[in-house]
Amino acid sequence: MIPPVLPTYNRAPLTFVKGEGAWLTESDGRRFLDMGAGIAVNALGHAHPALVEALTRQAEKLWHVSNLYHIPEQQALAERLVAETFADTVFFTNSGTESCELAVKMARKYWHAQGTPRSEIVTFGGAFHGRSTAAIAAAGSEKMTAGFGPLMPGFVHVPWGDHEALRAAVTERTAAVLIEPVQGEGGIRVLPDQCLRGLRALCDETGALLVLDEVQCGMGRTGRLFAHEWAGVAPDIMMVAKGIGGGFPLGAVLATETAGAPMTAGTHGSTYGGNPLACAVGLAVMEIVAQPEFLAEVRARAGQLRQGLESLVATHPEVFEQVRGAGLMLGLKCRLPAAEVMKAGFAEELITVPAADNVVRLLPPLTLTTEEAEEALRRLDRAADAARAAARAA
Ligand SMILES: *Cc1c(COP(=O)(O)O)cnc(C)c1O
């Protein structure tokens, strides 16, 4: 019999009932160190006092009115995002997938408005942009598209890192190039700064819009507010979600005036997008994450964690192959099956997240302390010992 919850997820046998900072309490009372943060969502950890206050204060005032009216919390968050980024304008969504949908629509509408329609969108191998029909067609992986055809046309797929294929794919027919500056689900693969700069130049040559998917790598995750800032170039359109709501469902599409202008009244909408509760929390998240001192702390913790992981790779060559990533978006490429390493982590009360390419992801809350980072490394060290012992016994 089919379970009451449609079983599209393979769930770990864990039920968390309470969270505080980087710690989660299981229903049996065990305390887990959370190096997953709900897949890079709980940017400020669990139950951060500023977010609890923003949410409860708004809950007592007003929950929902619809986008038929002005929403001051939405206005304030949009102004803050515009002030801190390349963008001139923002549309709020409820998820990364919805941000992908709008980014695709916006790119095509831009070219339609030019009077020279272009529909092709160039994407990359190993990408993940969400689970809607457009988002799975954009990423194009067989695992996500099988059985869901016919797929939305217009996406051109280029293997990750294949510069020649990229040059051939981006032409006068290309509406936009869509890429994650750091691939998340694809296995924590970092796009080198010079490649992002080259991509920007290629887009400028051909007129194609540059769309960045910063749903996972944005909102302070890499130690800058947005990952592309490291390369010193700006996109035309950017997708955001995950960390921006700190655990409350919220996403956004940020755009330059040029890219966003054709999206006039009636061209897009969302019942919940930019709802007062979501934006009140989003504003509280931004007020903390956008602080230079906060981002400096993220970079310090990232350096500490990365150095510790490099030593783990050196001491466990049978278990780990390599450390990858940027900031607090780190991946351990494994020699043993990543799922086994993750399971051994659960036994040590440590939460990690799997990714493609046999990678274990570490996406801790950005508020992780020095001691918590040390503790995570100790638990990972014990988990690696246990995973190796289990593999030898098998
Ligand atoms: C998670 C993710 C998405 C999809 O976001 P949802 O909120 O699950 O719809 C899109 N792009 C990237 C890079 C992601 O990590």
Side-chain angles (χ1 to χ4, degrees):
M1 222 172 43
I2 194 161
V5 174
L6 192 71
T8 62
Y9 278 92
N10 277 318
R11 293 170 198 266
L14 293 168
T15 307
F16 298 112
V17 292
K18 191 171 160 45
E20 200 186 350
W23 297 88
L24 279 170
T25 307
E26 220 272 346
S27 55
D28 64 5
R30 282 181 298 161
R31 273 167 53 84
F32 283 68
L33 183 49
D34 185 9
M35 299 295 279
I39 319 184
V41 165
N42 303 96
L44 300 179
H46 301 277
H48 190 287
L51 305 198
V52 173
E53 199 202 322
L55 182 61
T56 47
R57 188 178 287 190
Q58 187 60 40
E60 282 163 3
K61 207 160 68 174
L62 183 65
W63 286 26
H64 183 80
V65 289
S66 113
N67 285 308
L68 297 173
Y69 313 102
H70 292 280
I71 299 174
E73 296 76 24
Q74 195 182 113
Q75 180 72 29
L77 181 53
E79 281 172 7
R80 190 70 204 261
L81 285 165
V82 164
E84 299 284 350
T85 67
F86 73 95
D88 302 309
T89 188
V90 184
F91 183 96
F92 291 104
T93 69
N94 308 283
S95 69
T97 298
E98 287 171 70
S99 294
C100 178
E101 287 290 325
L102 174 54
V104 168
K105 284 177 70 175
M106 193 182 274
R108 289 184 176 172
K109 192 72 162 64
Y110 167 82
W111 284 106
H112 180 84
Q114 303 294 302
T116 52
R118 299 185 185 188
S119 61
E120 279 185 12
I121 296 180
V122 173
T123 60
F124 294 83
F128 180 77
H129 301 299
R131 294 295 197 137
S132 66
T133 45
I136 60 172
S141 94
E142 170 72 15
K143 210 177 108 198
M144 284 187 292
T145 57
F148 299 120
L151 294 180
M152 181 178 168
F155 294 100
V156 178
H157 301 107
V158 171
W160 179 263
D162 188 338
H163 293 211
E164 242 165 76
L166 178 62
R167 280 214 158 262
V170 180
T171 68
E172 259 71 58
R173 286 188 312 277
T174 309
V177 176
L178 165 57
I179 191 165
E180 296 156 83
V182 183
Q183 280 193 346
E185 311 298 310
I188 309 291
R189 294 195 290 187
V190 182
L191 185 71
D193 288 345
Q194 72 272 19
C195 292
L196 187 51
R197 286 193 285 268
L199 194 52
R200 178 71 267 182
L202 187 57
C203 286
D204 291 342
E205 276 166 38
T206 54
L209 298 177
L210 178 59
V211 182
L212 295 182
D213 180 347
E214 294 226 17
V215 167
Q216 193 165 146
C217 64
M219 288 308 290
R221 180 65 39 197
T222 67
R224 303 286 289 264
L225 188 55
F226 290 101
H228 67 265
E229 294 171 20
W230 289 106
V233 293
D236 301 289
I237 299 171
M238 178 168 70
M239 297 157 49
V240 182
K242 294 204 165 93
I244 192 175
F248 200 93
L250 177 64
V253 174
L254 280 65
T256 61
E257 180 167 12
T258 310
M263 297 299 296
T264 52
T267 57
H268 197 63
S270 168
T271 296
Y272 283 124
N275 152 298
L277 292 169
C279 287
V281 177
L283 194 56
V285 172
M286 264 302 279
E287 269 165 12
I288 295 170
V289 173
Q291 285 172 15
E293 315 80 64
F294 181 88
L295 293 168
E297 272 301 303
V298 172
R299 294 193 290 272
R301 206 65 56 250
Q304 177 198 353
L305 203 51
R306 181 155 198 137
Q307 200 174 19
L309 292 175
E310 299 283 4
S311 332
L312 281 184
V313 170
T315 48
H316 300 279
E318 293 169 56
V319 182
F320 302 123
E321 184 180 327
Q322 182 196 42
V323 186
R324 346 164 139 165
L328 289 177
M329 186 171 180
L330 293 162
L332 273 170
K333 176 144 172 81
C334 297
R335 289 219 159 85
L336 293 180
E340 296 303 317
V341 176
M342 208 181 64
K343 245 202 284 180
F346 287 153
E348 295 296 335
E349 290 155 27
L350 177 78
I351 299 168
T352 59
V353 182
D357 206 19
N358 206 36
V359 166
V360 168
R361 263 183 288 181
L362 300 173
L363 307 161
L366 305 181
T367 49
L368 194 78
T369 64
T370 313
E371 298 73 37
E372 286 163 346
E374 284 310 314
E375 182 59 26
L377 290 164
R378 278 194 293 274
R379 292 182 186 207
L380 206 47
D381 185 31
R382 293 200 297 270
D385 279 336
R388 193 190 47 218
R392 279 185 180 162

